[in-house]
Amino acid sequence: MGFFNDPIHFIAAWLEGLFTGWGLPAGLINVILTFLGVFLVANFGMLYVIFLIWVERKLAARMQDRLGPNRVGPYGLFQTIADIVKLFTKEDTTPEGADKAVFNIAPIMAVVSVLLIWAVIPFAEGWIGTDLSVGALYIVAVGSFGIVATLIAGWSSNNKFALLGAFRTVAQLVSYEVPLVLSLMIPVLLARSMGIGSIVEAQTNWYSIFFFMAPIAALIFFISSIAEVGRTPFDLLEAESEIVAGFHIEYSGAKFAMIFAAEFLHAFTISVLTITLFFGGWQGLGDQYPLVAWVWFMVKSMMAYFTVAWIRTTLPRLRIDHMLNYNWKFLTPLALAVLVVTALLDWLIVNGFGTTETIWRPAILFAANVLIGWVTYALLRRRAAQRPARLVVGTPRPVARPPQPPAQPEPEAAAD
Amino acid sequence: MIPLSWYLILAAGLFCLGLYGVLARKNAVAILMGIELMLNAVNINLVAFWRYQEPLDVAGQVFAIMVFAVSAAEVAVGLALVISLYRRRRSVVAENMDLLRW
Amino acid sequence: MTPIQALFIITSVLLLVSGFMVVTARNLVRAALWLIAALFMVAVVFVLLDAGFLAVVQVVVYIGAIAILFIFAVMLTRRVMQESGPQSNSWWWVAGLFSLLLFFGLTWIILGWGGAAQHAPRVSAADLDNIEQLGLALVDPAGYVVPFEVASVLLLAALIGAIVVAWDRN
């Protein structure tokens, strides 16, 4: 096996030879190599956040017609490192009366809950931390650690605003888990397996990526994931103008840096999950070579991350009751409808044509999704027509006008 | 490997801890936590017997899933009752809920 | 002692310690967090028993929903932020004695049963945690569809009941 055909096994075999040469027992070598793999994946996530924050800031700046960070390093690349240095050298305060153990655990749980998702994401063929047979459900399970972390962060700060922010955050996160899980079940259904590696490999050609078979499900998954991360337009809970930074008011210094990094990494993780589940993951031209597949993976996930940052910069913030209404009255019924229709149609197609590989499968399912979308749009329009929006106008105020200038006498004939 | 008795003793220990929590705690929410421990002990028992006696039959796992559903329903209703009680009596100490005593 | 046995011992010690802290912690929020630790250890035990799907469902249902409900209930039924007073009622020593007796009784019965010393039958991994088989069994008329539907009705009743009971009539 050459280096390019299978870099990981090549390096692992070389390291194994090295360690055996040093006289270590085989079991210990196995443990060391596994820990090395875990170390690499976890650190990749945390170090990549540094680059991601810069990308986000530059994107937001350019979309707002300004330059963004451009002083520290070429094109401002080292800005994030400067921010990290600042955050780590800040004083690490603990509010009086706070539950110290719980206060310290919360940021750790927040980071861990995001890093654990990286264990089941395939970077290339066979490049997966552990190919769990229940990978999709595992992602939901690990997300619940983040919810608990938010709740105890708000509670242990001994601050009523933090507690209120934590309650609202948890209400939002738990509500948006429902359409997330429902739309997650659609790639599981189409791939006949819950394992993420199998879901990626079930999207065999460019026309059988699950986005074509279930565009509405992809959109619902994307929107619910953005709400799960807590980014705009769903970031009421940490908006400075609303509740003064919400559940992480009392965190400063390194702990705040951890929560902050966890949020950005979570945003990147959901872009990775969207492209893995719906856009074919690491597949692309020349993906027999794992390094090329990894490049495709990064390109696709950066495109999804660009969309997340774009939405953040463009859309205004939703109010909490609008947010919850949107979830329970729109996303959940739509996700249920799409799930039922997709399940029925997929069974009919696969039984009718005898195989999962026909081109009729994406074609018919796409048409069904378009139909559902059109029906939804018609229903929404009819409902909006029944409740005309009241234009709230105040009583007309007198408009200020400057007084007419007094009539000037005609200027004298040209003075000599 | 691990003999079955280890799992059964572990489940028995967890069950007795939950029982102590139910019998000895004042706060109603803490009593519900004890009930959760007991239900988890039952689940460990079910899954252990499934694995050791009939691993090819899914009946054990289905039974465990039913226990999940039942415990989730029970916790939801129990905590709703506790919160409603707190609104009336401003206290959740189980000893003080004595309106029905003669 | 094989690694699996060592792992089991560590997990069960952590589980029993977490359970003990749940039932004896004075601060109820800490008790809820120890409950989360205990529920996670139960999920690890499920993994040791080759029931991976049940382990993940345990984390999703218990930690992701029930533990959060507990933390909410604790936070909503406290009068002050800090903890107050002993949490054990006046006959806690009777309860402790009874629990201890029950534990020793159960252990004696378990060790007296001949089948308890058996080891896990070797089954290939493909047959073991077969989610497809589980799903088919749950909707099979000759299988477990009736308990499945009854459980759905139970959950619906609990949903409606919880909302009605906790509805604030003011």
Side-chain angles (χ1 to χ4, degrees), chain A residues 242-261:
Chain A
E242 306 280 345
I243 197 167
V244 197
F247 68 91
H248 55 78
I249 301 174
E250 298 283 353
Y251 284 95
S252 67
K255 298 197 193 97
F256 177 71
M258 286 295 112
I259 297 181
F260 190 60

Side-chain angles (χ1 to χ4, degrees), chain A residues 166-302:
Chain A
F167 277 169
R168 297 211 291 189
T169 307
V170 170
Q172 173 185 315
L173 293 178
V174 167
S175 305
Y176 274 92
E177 254 186 29
V178 175
L180 183 81
V181 173
L182 286 173
S183 59
L184 184 61
M185 285 302 115
I186 295 186
V188 166
L189 185 98
L190 293 171
R192 309 284 194 264
S193 160
M194 276 201 226
I196 307 277
S198 321
I199 293 180
V200 171
E201 279 159 27
Q203 307 176 52
T204 38
N205 319 64
W206 66 268
Y207 54 79
S208 56
I209 59 175
F210 289 155
F211 179 72
F212 290 141
M213 296 198 208
I216 298 185
L219 282 173
I220 297 178
F221 181 78
F222 192 56
I223 295 173
S224 314
S225 312
I226 295 184
E228 283 285 317
V229 176
R231 292 176 75 94
T232 323
F234 301 104
D235 71 345
L236 182 67
L237 322 150
E238 37 180 57
E240 300 222 345
S241 57
E242 306 280 345
I243 197 167
V244 197
F247 68 91
H248 55 78
I249 301 174
E250 298 283 353
Y251 284 95
S252 67
K255 298 197 193 97
F256 177 71
M258 286 295 112
I259 297 181
F260 190 60
E263 178 184 330
F264 272 93
L265 188 58
H266 200 176
F268 184 62
T269 308
I270 59 133
S271 6
V272 162
L273 280 174
T274 310
I275 61 117
T276 305
L277 293 170
F278 290 101
F279 285 93
W282 45 260
Q283 291 172 339
L285 204 57
D287 60 19
Q288 311 91 288
Y289 298 109
L291 287 176
V292 178
W294 184 75
V295 167
W296 271 113
F297 173 84
M298 293 306 292
V299 163
K300 287 187 194 176
S301 47
M302 285 314 284

Side-chain angles (χ1 to χ4, degrees), chain B residues 1 3-5 7 10 17 20 23-27 36 40 51-53 56 58-59 68 71 86-87 90, chain C residues 5 8 12 22-23 25 28 39 49-50 58 62 76 79 86-89 99 116 118 120-121 133 137 144 166:
Chain B
M1 285 305 155
L4 178 60
S5 53
Y7 285 108
L10 171 67
L17 280 172
Y20 173 75
L23 294 174
R25 297 280 256 170
K26 283 205 293 196
N27 196 316
E36 281 311 303
N40 272 287
R51 178 68 180 92
Y52 280 70
Q53 304 277 57
L56 297 174
V58 288
F68 279 138
S71 76
Y86 178 76
R87 280 207 198 109
R90 301 296 294 175
Chain C
Q5 285 183 343
F8 176 79
S12 42
V22 171
V23 297
L28 276 185
L39 295 171
L49 281 168
D50 291 320
Q58 160 94 3
Y62 273 103
L76 288 175
R79 282 203 255 176
Q87 280 294 330
S88 304
N89 57 21
S99 302
Q118 64 182 288
Q133 192 187 5
Y144 303 100

Side-chain angles (χ1 to χ4, degrees), chain B residues 14 40 43-44, chain C residues 15 37-47 58:
Chain B
L14 194 61
N40 272 287
N43 251 346
I44 295 180
Chain C
L15 175 57
L39 295 171
F40 185 69
M41 288 301 136
V42 172
V44 175
V45 169
F46 283 159
V47 171
Q58 160 94 3

Side-chain angles (χ1 to χ4, degrees), chain C residues 62-138:
Chain C
Y62 273 103
I63 300 183
I66 293 182
I68 295 182
L69 267 181
F70 270 115
I71 297 182
F72 261 106
V74 166
M75 291 180 189
L76 288 175
T77 57
R78 300 220 55 70
R79 282 203 255 176
V80 289
M81 282 282 207
Q82 312 288 72
E83 176 39 34
S84 60
Q87 280 294 330
S88 304
N89 57 21
S90 44
W91 47 84
W92 62 272
W93 52 274
V94 174
L97 203 59
F98 181 61
S99 302
L100 219 51
L101 280 176
L102 183 64
F103 175 63
F104 285 129
L106 283 171
T107 312
W108 187 63
I109 294 178
I110 290 169
L111 290 176
W113 177 49
Q118 64 182 288
H119 287 249
R122 292 192 189 283
V123 184
S124 74
D127 298 326
L128 203 54
D129 198 8
N130 197 340
I131 307 169
E132 197 173 332
Q133 192 187 5
L134 183 63
L136 282 172
L138 279 174

